[in-house]
Amino acid sequence: LPKGSDVASADGHKVGDLDEVELDGDANVEAIVVRAGFLFHHDLRLPAAEISEFDDKKVRLKVTKDAAEAHRA
């Protein structure tokens, strides 16, 4: 997951840019941090369970923008 990738909610809103990927001891994605600045004025920390899919340009979440907002970093 490249830093700066777009992060989009399940309801189609861009919630921000990928800032950090947190890995567990087995190098699996544990969580992502989304930089503040688009819809929100605070960073978001979303657990891997909230990620629907990703490629080298975009991360798609399983949750709506309102649900994503609950994950303040």
Side-chain angles (χ1 to χ4, degrees):
L1 293 169
K3 187 173 183 173
S5 297
D6 288 348
V7 179
S9 64
D11 53 347
H13 296 276
K14 180 176 176 178
V15 296
D17 292 326
L18 180 66
D19 186 51
E20 184 180 340
V21 177
E22 298 176 4
L23 303 176
D24 65 16
D26 296 322
N28 296 310
V29 175
E30 186 172 283
I32 62 170
V33 176
V34 179
R35 178 174 291 151
F38 284 84
L39 295 177
F40 309 116
H41 299 290
H42 52 270
D43 291 346
L44 303 175
R45 183 183 181 276
L46 295 147
E50 303 290 328
I51 299 171
S52 174
E53 62 184 349
F54 59 87
D55 57 32
D56 60 345
K57 295 182 182 177
K58 184 175 256 187
V59 178
R60 289 175 187 84
L61 303 176
K62 292 180 182 178
V63 296
T64 65
K65 70 176 176 74
D66 292 337
E69 185 176 17
H71 293 281
R72 286 181 165 219

